[in-house]
Amino acid sequence: MTYCVGLRLDRGLVFMSDTRTNAGVDNISTYRKMFTWSKPGERTLVMMTAGNLATTQAVVSMLDERTKAPEERNPSILEVPSMFQAARLVGKTLRNVIRESAPDEGPDAESPFKATIILGGQIAGAEPRLFLIYPEGNFVEASKETPFFQIGETKYGRPILVRAYEPDMTFEAAVKLMMVSFDSTMKANLSVGLPLDLLLYEKDSLDIMAQRRIEEDDPYYNLISANWGEALKFAFGSLPDYKL
């Protein structure tokens, strides 16, 4: 399985993804699920994927090829004029890959070749935007009412995002929030696991602010994991008991 989160802040965008894929408990591998395209000073785009690995790798490869071979651009994700057009391009590419993989089924939600994508970033002259792209190729955009998207194994990490998110929070606080969300997911589901990929994008910078991989021995992640468990126990113990 997979877990990826894209978060919209007043300050910019925060992305985090795990790297675990599996085809059964005896076939677990590590694959990157976060991909970037950037022209510093002009645009930065970040994509995270969940679903069939062959499908998502094909989508990424096709988008990459269009940035390198002029005759294959049609157009390139580095040339589209807006984030909306970038989302349309990614959605169309995803839909076509699924159709080619399963021509008798089409890009429906039950297809074994389905995949879901989070796309975010900024192109010069416009605001940062964040999209959730479905297997059918259509998409929705993050808003003040829906400021984050999750794909993959979403249910375990969602409660802390809903309760603790604030649009004006700092990047440091947002990373802490992401860490707790991912730790909660990994504690409940073994199909999501370390390492994690983290990327921060600051509004109007038109370049990646920070990008790093969080390994199993990362001291901050381990501190958050241990302290969050203790904090939950303390909070639970401080609540009044039910009166029989």
Side-chain angles (χ1 to χ4, degrees):
M1 198 57 176
T2 298
Y3 184 42
C4 304
V5 181
L7 189 69
R8 194 182 85 163
L9 305 175
D10 292 344
R11 290 172 169 79
L13 303 170
V14 183
F15 303 88
M16 186 176 281
S17 65
D18 83 319
T19 56
R20 179 169 293 181
T21 62
N22 73 87
V25 294
D26 58 347
N27 188 12
I28 296 175
S29 303
T30 297
Y31 285 93
R32 179 176 292 276
K33 302 169 188 175
M34 181 186 295
F35 308 91
T36 63
W37 292 270
S38 182
K39 282 186 178 180
E42 180 188 314
R43 69 184 63 203
T44 293
L45 297 95
V46 182
M47 189 171 85
M48 298 185 294
T49 63
N52 182 273
L53 184 60
T55 298
T56 58
Q57 287 187 341
V59 171
V60 172
S61 294
M62 292 179 71
L63 293 172
D64 270 338
E65 284 185 0
R66 291 169 185 167
T67 68
K68 299 169 184 175
E71 66 277 8
E72 297 293 336
R73 288 180 177 176
N74 297 324
S76 163
I77 199 169
L78 293 177
E79 294 179 340
V80 291
S82 67
M83 285 300 302
F84 178 81
Q85 293 298 328
R88 288 191 65 186
L89 173 62
V90 173
K92 180 179 179 181
T93 305
L94 174 60
R95 183 177 68 248
N96 289 342
V97 168
I98 294 175
R99 281 179 173 170
E100 291 171 2
S101 301
D104 294 330
E105 297 185 41
D108 58 72
E110 299 303 318
S111 169
F113 300 98
K114 69 178 180 177
T116 311
I117 290 172
I118 292 174
L119 176 71
Q122 185 176 19
I123 295 176
E127 291 290 304
R129 301 176 76 175
L130 184 68
F131 299 92
L132 174 61
I133 303 172
Y134 298 105
E136 296 81 2
N138 57 336
F139 52 87
V140 294
E141 183 174 1
S143 63
K144 290 182 179 179
E145 294 75 24
T146 308
F148 62 85
F149 290 131
Q150 302 167 278
I151 54 177
E153 190 57 70
T154 61
K155 54 185 176 292
Y156 303 109
R158 184 175 180 81
I160 184 61
L161 296 176
V162 172
R163 288 178 178 271
Y165 166 83
E166 295 291 343
D168 61 349
M169 66 196 316
T170 64
F171 281 116
E172 292 82 359
V175 172
K176 178 169 61 176
L177 177 60
M178 290 283 213
M179 293 275 194
V180 172
S181 179
F182 273 76
D183 182 66
S184 300
T185 302
M186 288 187 285
K187 287 288 193 298
N189 192 312
L190 293 178
S191 69
V192 178
L194 294 158
L196 307 177
D197 286 323
L198 168 68
L199 187 146
L200 306 178
Y201 174 76
E202 186 175 15
K203 180 179 179 181
D204 296 331
S205 66
L206 299 173
D207 201 357
I208 295 171
M209 174 183 174
Q211 185 174 12
R212 63 194 58 173
R213 174 157 286 194
I214 299 158
E215 303 284 357
E216 292 186 11
D217 60 353
D218 184 88
Y220 181 75
Y221 173 79
N222 288 314
L223 178 67
I224 290 296
S225 180
N227 286 2
W228 177 242
E230 291 303 314
L232 281 176
K233 292 177 183 177
F234 177 81
F236 177 76
S238 67
L239 295 173
D241 290 337
Y242 179 73
K243 300 297 183 183
L244 294 174

